[in-house]
Amino acid sequence: MSFGGRSGFHAGSKKSLVFLLKFLSDLVPFEPPQYLKVHILHPPFVPLKHRSLLMEYVSLAKTRLADLQESVEEMGLYEDVSAAGASLQSQAAQDVEKAVCLFESSSRIPAAVMEASIFRRPYFLTRFLPALLKPRALPLQADAQMNFIEALKQAEKIPAAQYSQYVESCQKRRQQSGSPRRPGAPLAVLQEQLQEFTELLAAGRDPESLAQLSRISHTLSVVFPGSDDPVGPATAPSLPELHLKVVDLILQSFCQSLLVASRGNPPNRQSLWGSRFVCVLLDNRQVLSGVIHRLKGLFHQQAASLRPAHILGLAAFIVHLQAAQPGPVPVAEALGSAVLSSSRTSMLFSVRLAVAAVSYGLCRGHSASPQRLQDFVPRSLYKKLLYLVPRLFPEARIRPEGQGGDGPTGGHLGDGLALLWSFTDGISWTETVLHLWRHAAFQQLQQLQLYQLCFSEWLHEELRVQRNSDVLSDAERQQYQQWACWELYLPRPEEQGGCGGDPRALCSRLLTAVMEPPPSREMNLENLEFSPGPSGTGTCLPDLLSRLQELVYEAEVGDLWGRRVGLGDFLLRVVSERCSVSSGSVSSRLSLQRTIEAWNRVLLVLPPVMFFKIKAEAGRSVVDCSQLLQHITQLQRKACPPAGLLPCAVTVHLLKGLLFAAGQCGRPAAEVDRVWSLMSASCPLLLVSAVRWWQQLSPVLVSLWTRLQDAEPFPEQLQLLSACRLWACSLRAGPVLVQIPPGPVLVQAASLHGAFRGRAEHQQNFREVLDGLREAENQQVLVSLLFLFVTDFLSELLDPQEKSSGRSIWFCSELLAVLVNSADWLLLFKSNEPDLEPDPVTLTVSDDCSRLMPWALCSLLQQQSAAVHQRALRCPGFLHSATLWYLEALRLFLDGEAPASARQVEPTRVLDCTKQFVLSLIRQAPAAALSCSQWRQLETRCVDLDPELAATLSVHLDHPAVGFL
């Protein structure tokens, strides 16, 4: 390779260069392959203008190597061409040995290795790296080969997947073959290293202690080789016995080191040993994951058994984690959120840990600005103190004289050291807590927005407290909550997390909090989930409901908001805003249902009259409940089951409110009748629910009316409702049909529905009732009754286990046999027609139920007799309606929303039967049965969903009569 330099004789003479290359070319047939490879990889220096001559020789040499089936890329890095040809595997092993020796002597990656990683990647990746990364039992002390591998990894020359596989294989090799030392060697070595670290720290030998941390880091990498694992798995695993012992040893060593380092110097004068110690753990994410899970277990299960020294050490550990700020979510915040405060034991532990952490953080950041203190004081533990200290210590609720608000009190930062040591030495921790609470630095930190405990967070914490294990008695808890709501958060400005003096904001946030479902988990940190412990039962929800009641009664009695504002309307708007976000998904509908159920529980503890306003109209007082009726129609209806009923308790509660409000008007009975008539058209759900639950409602309402209006008779509309109920029950008892009492059509239909639904033993009486109601004036009653029974039939399709399952279809068939000749019943099931004003009875079911009605009708029609089908064909508009029902049912099936019932026929069977029925209707129908626009509308809708049906419809479109129409 000496002729490869620029100073060679051939480099300056073309004649010499030509001679050299011709000489080499003549030798190609006789050269050994190793020499040809050297000439190709290390060619002689050739000026740029004569480069073509060299390329001719290189091409000739490569052709010769191809004939000999030799590869240039497979040539070793340090191959001895004078020696006999070695195998590829042995050559790669020799290259590894040579490269490791060169790296050990120079502490740099050899140039040949770097060049091969770039220009000879096939050999580097397929030969050199596999020989270098051959699995073996790694020694505890890193050798030259391990250091070389680590250097290549840092230079990004080793693929991550290949390196991870190497580490796993080495770990398996260690487990299979066993370490040459005793099984407890890693733990024993780590224990010795940690003990030596503590001794170096006590002696004040900081440089040596930092070097010792590097050795500890290597030992941890041997025990926990999976350094690229995430912080934690989806569920907290049970650590292996060795890992658990190592984690306990790490935490114990940190606590001991803290005590040793603090004997001579306070935290603000200590070296950076704590930060370096924590950084060692952060470099190995598997170690960090094990430490986090272990701390979580200690906080949840062994908090009461931890000694003050342990608490102090763990608090300092969390502070150093806070300063390190690893990842997008600080680990310290996750650990702080894992500290529970739901019982007496957990509250006392939380206060001790938070006091230690905040005190240590303030000492460490003694010279930092309030903004910089965020690096030393975990927000979650600071907020724990803001919540727990006033709760546990009534004297902390009193502001010292001269403090105008939440500003700082006296004291200087050096006093934080006394807090720390008094806590450690077991001196009264109550004095420590109060001293810290009144400390200037502690109060100054509260001025930062991130360190403010807002009212919503306070409510969240309060709802997690278990009443049966609370440190406060019922009376003490009531006193504390009243102080927090009315004295602390109501006057506090909104920018500081309060309500700004507005009782509306206080009421809104209280209502939102009590409607929240019990929390299922606290924090998710890269798949690491912290559960809160309590399941939500036995919480302080009744206490906060009492606070909401107190606020409502105070506003009502004092008329703080004025009658025009309406506290009830305000609460209804809050609930409406909370339910306004809906995506239409199943989870969204379930969330809406849970919200409405939670609101109904709140509704029942509030005075019902607050939802009825009294206003002056035409010189007299009238009841205004438009917002309530709108709330029932728009929200309560969506959360009702397919049966379309409000809960009995909600129904009686709202009707009591109506009687209370009407009693404040000049003519109470007339006002009840007026509102009842309004409900028949705008809120039929409340009307039908009153009919359904009248047996339970009647004694309550009659007694209340008697107390409110001693001499005045019961309102006429309520008397008619009672008469309709008695009439319907009498029809069920005997075949004699008495005259139908006057009243709203919906009340009459709902009374009949309530009397006969689910009662198969009265089927003969029901036939006689239908015979007696065939007159035209009773047609709408039967139509509304059909809708109510079809709703029951749909409920049975959705829930085959229902007690009355299978009975509603008989009532539907009997009603259909009576109404099939009339087009009135078809109008009830045209929910998708935007131009039609909905019938009141259709507003008793949810939108989801209305969307599923076509499937119920298709299931109902396919079980009818041929005679009913023939009569239906003669009904005006039936062909158009039946085709639309089939298309809507087909769309429900394609969207995966068709009801699947075990006792009913399969969904495909329902669609096939309905399709054949519709096809037969179309073939039998004359062209003039529908207008041209109706035929075209049906064909347009069928093109994408059912081409066969569309083709059948197109035959009618080609008929001359259709074109004329």
Side-chain angles (χ1 to χ4, degrees), residues 825-848:
W825 69 281
L826 298 176
L827 299 177
L828 291 183
F829 302 100
K830 290 187 176 182
S831 57
N832 296 328
E833 298 294 337
D835 299 335
L836 293 177
E837 183 177 353
D839 190 275
V841 71
T842 61
L843 296 179
T844 61
V845 296
S846 64
D847 295 337
D848 293 333

Side-chain angles (χ1 to χ4, degrees), residues 628-640:
L628 175 63
L629 300 185
Q630 183 180 2
H631 166 77
I632 295 175
T633 303
Q634 293 184 355
L635 293 182
Q636 294 279 358
R637 183 171 61 92
K638 292 181 180 180
C640 284

Side-chain angles (χ1 to χ4, degrees), residues 695-733:
Q695 186 174 357
Q696 292 93 321
L697 267 64
S698 176
V700 178
L701 298 183
V702 171
S703 174
L704 177 61
W705 183 262
T706 303
R707 297 197 309 270
L708 293 176
Q709 311 293 333
D710 189 16
E712 191 166 351
F714 206 47
E716 181 182 358
Q717 291 294 331
L718 298 183
Q719 293 184 35
L720 293 177
L721 190 155
S722 182
C724 287
R725 286 278 302 176
L726 293 175
W727 165 74
C729 293
S730 67
L731 297 181
R732 185 183 63 200

Side-chain angles (χ1 to χ4, degrees), residues 129-424:
L129 284 185
L132 176 65
L133 302 178
K134 186 177 181 180
R136 62 185 181 125
L138 297 177
L140 291 178
Q141 300 293 336
D143 57 8
Q145 183 173 344
M146 292 174 60
N147 295 332
F148 180 55
I149 293 174
E150 187 64 26
L152 288 176
K153 179 177 179 295
Q154 293 179 358
E156 299 182 353
K157 298 301 180 182
I158 303 178
Q162 193 172 3
Y163 181 79
S164 300
Q165 185 178 4
Y166 164 71
V167 172
E168 293 176 2
S169 300
C170 291
Q171 185 69 16
K172 292 179 181 178
R173 182 66 61 87
R174 173 182 291 276
Q175 295 174 355
Q176 294 173 0
S177 61
S179 175
R181 304 177 64 174
R182 62 185 185 279
L187 185 62
V189 170
L190 181 62
Q191 187 172 6
E192 294 174 2
Q193 292 174 342
L194 290 172
Q195 181 63 33
E196 185 178 352
F197 171 76
T198 305
E199 294 174 356
L200 292 173
L201 194 63
R205 298 157 63 180
D206 294 338
E208 297 181 23
S209 64
L210 295 181
Q212 183 69 9
L213 284 177
S214 300
R215 290 185 282 271
I216 293 173
S217 176
H218 169 67
T219 306
L220 290 176
S221 67
V222 175
V223 182
F224 296 90
S227 58
D228 291 332
D229 292 346
V231 170
T235 57
S238 56
L239 295 175
E241 183 179 358
L242 175 61
H243 290 185
L244 183 60
K245 291 181 179 179
V246 169
V247 169
D248 287 343
L249 191 60
I250 290 172
L251 295 176
Q252 182 181 0
S253 176
F254 185 89
C255 294
Q256 292 176 350
S257 300
L258 177 70
L259 295 179
V260 168
S262 301
R263 288 173 185 169
N265 296 312
N268 55 325
R269 297 179 183 176
Q270 295 177 13
S271 63
L272 299 178
W273 73 269
S275 302
R276 300 290 176 82
F277 193 104
V278 170
C279 288
V280 168
L281 306 182
L282 297 180
D283 291 339
N284 192 316
R285 296 175 68 82
Q286 193 177 7
V287 177
L288 179 62
S289 176
V291 170
I292 291 175
H293 287 302
R294 182 56 176 153
L295 287 176
K296 172 195 160 187
L298 290 174
F299 294 161
H300 286 188
Q301 302 169 9
Q302 304 179 32
S305 61
L306 293 177
R307 298 179 180 178
H310 295 151
I311 296 176
L312 178 62
L314 297 181
F317 185 82
I318 294 176
V319 171
H320 285 291
L321 280 177
Q322 171 75 13
Q325 294 288 322
V329 179
V331 178
E333 296 300 331
L335 288 173
S337 300
V339 179
L340 305 180
S341 56
S342 57
S343 63
R344 174 188 179 87
T345 303
S346 61
M347 286 182 188
L348 298 180
F349 169 74
S350 298
V351 169
R352 291 172 180 255
L353 181 70
V355 166
V358 173
S359 300
Y360 187 84
L362 291 177
C363 291
R364 292 288 299 178
H366 70 288
S367 59
S369 64
Q371 294 291 339
R372 288 284 298 162
L373 276 177
Q374 300 179 52
D375 297 338
F376 300 95
V377 181
R379 295 189 300 273
S380 54
L381 292 180
Y382 183 86
K383 290 183 178 181
K384 287 287 183 185
L385 290 180
L386 295 181
Y387 169 69
L388 289 174
V389 173
R391 199 177 201 280
L392 302 179
F393 305 97
E395 54 266 41
R397 306 171 196 170
I398 304 174
R399 293 191 181 96
E401 295 183 5
Q403 180 181 342
D406 296 323
T409 62
H412 54 86
L413 205 53
D415 294 342
L417 306 180
L419 295 175
L420 182 62
W421 308 140
S422 64
F423 181 84
T424 307

Side-chain angles (χ1 to χ4, degrees), residues 882-926:
T883 306
L884 292 180
W885 294 338
Y886 165 70
L887 294 177
E888 290 298 326
L890 180 58
R891 189 180 299 276
L892 288 171
F893 177 77
L894 295 177
D895 293 340
E897 299 183 16
S901 174
R903 66 174 300 277
Q904 301 291 340
V905 294
E906 292 295 326
T908 54
R909 173 73 175 168
V910 174
L911 291 175
D912 290 341
C913 294
T914 307
K915 179 179 179 178
Q916 296 304 320
F917 174 61
V918 173
L919 287 174
S920 66
L921 289 179
I922 296 174
R923 296 189 184 103
Q924 298 177 45

Side-chain angles (χ1 to χ4, degrees), residues 318-546:
I318 294 176
V319 171
H320 285 291
L321 280 177
Q322 171 75 13
Q325 294 288 322
V329 179
V331 178
E333 296 300 331
L335 288 173
S337 300
V339 179
L340 305 180
S341 56
S342 57
S343 63
R344 174 188 179 87
T345 303
S346 61
M347 286 182 188
L348 298 180
F349 169 74
S350 298
V351 169
R352 291 172 180 255
L353 181 70
V355 166
V358 173
S359 300
Y360 187 84
L362 291 177
C363 291
R364 292 288 299 178
H366 70 288
S367 59
S369 64
Q371 294 291 339
R372 288 284 298 162
L373 276 177
Q374 300 179 52
D375 297 338
F376 300 95
V377 181
R379 295 189 300 273
S380 54
L381 292 180
Y382 183 86
K383 290 183 178 181
K384 287 287 183 185
L385 290 180
L386 295 181
Y387 169 69
L388 289 174
V389 173
R391 199 177 201 280
L392 302 179
F393 305 97
E395 54 266 41
R397 306 171 196 170
I398 304 174
R399 293 191 181 96
E401 295 183 5
Q403 180 181 342
D406 296 323
T409 62
H412 54 86
L413 205 53
D415 294 342
L417 306 180
L419 295 175
L420 182 62
W421 308 140
S422 64
F423 181 84
T424 307
D425 297 337
I427 301 174
S428 175
W429 67 277
T430 302
E431 299 179 4
T432 303
V433 172
L434 295 177
H435 190 86
L436 175 63
W437 179 259
R438 300 188 179 104
H439 200 276
F442 182 89
Q443 294 293 337
Q444 287 175 355
L445 200 58
Q446 194 176 356
Q447 304 305 312
L448 301 178
Q449 187 174 6
L450 293 177
Y451 285 83
Q452 294 170 357
L453 183 71
C454 67
F455 187 44
S456 300
E457 293 173 326
W458 178 86
L459 290 169
H460 176 76
E461 292 288 342
E462 194 68 14
L463 281 171
R464 292 161 55 91
V465 175
Q466 301 298 292
R467 303 176 78 242
N468 55 353
S469 57
D470 189 6
V471 68
L472 301 179
S473 64
D474 291 344
E476 291 172 338
R477 184 168 51 250
Q478 176 184 0
Q479 183 180 8
Y480 163 69
Q481 291 178 353
Q482 289 174 343
W483 168 84
C485 292
W486 276 271
E487 298 184 36
L488 181 62
Y489 284 107
L490 179 59
R492 177 175 289 184
E494 291 188 6
E495 57 272 13
Q496 296 181 14
C499 302
D502 186 3
R504 294 182 185 84
L506 181 67
C507 184
S508 174
R509 294 174 190 177
L510 266 174
L511 177 61
T512 302
V514 298
M515 288 172 56
E516 285 284 351
S520 59
R521 57 179 59 112
E522 180 62 25
M523 175 168 283
N524 189 319
L525 173 65
E526 296 183 7
N527 300 327
L528 177 62
E529 298 175 353
F530 294 123
S531 60
S535 61
T537 58
T539 66
C540 288
L541 178 62
D543 300 271
L544 292 181
L545 281 175
S546 299

Side-chain angles (χ1 to χ4, degrees), residues 658 662 667-680 714-720:
L658 173 60
R667 300 170 56 194
E671 192 59 27
V672 172
D673 295 336
R674 186 189 67 83
V675 174
W676 194 264
S677 301
L678 181 64
M679 285 176 8
S680 301
F714 206 47
E716 181 182 358
Q717 291 294 331
L718 298 183
Q719 293 184 35
L720 293 177

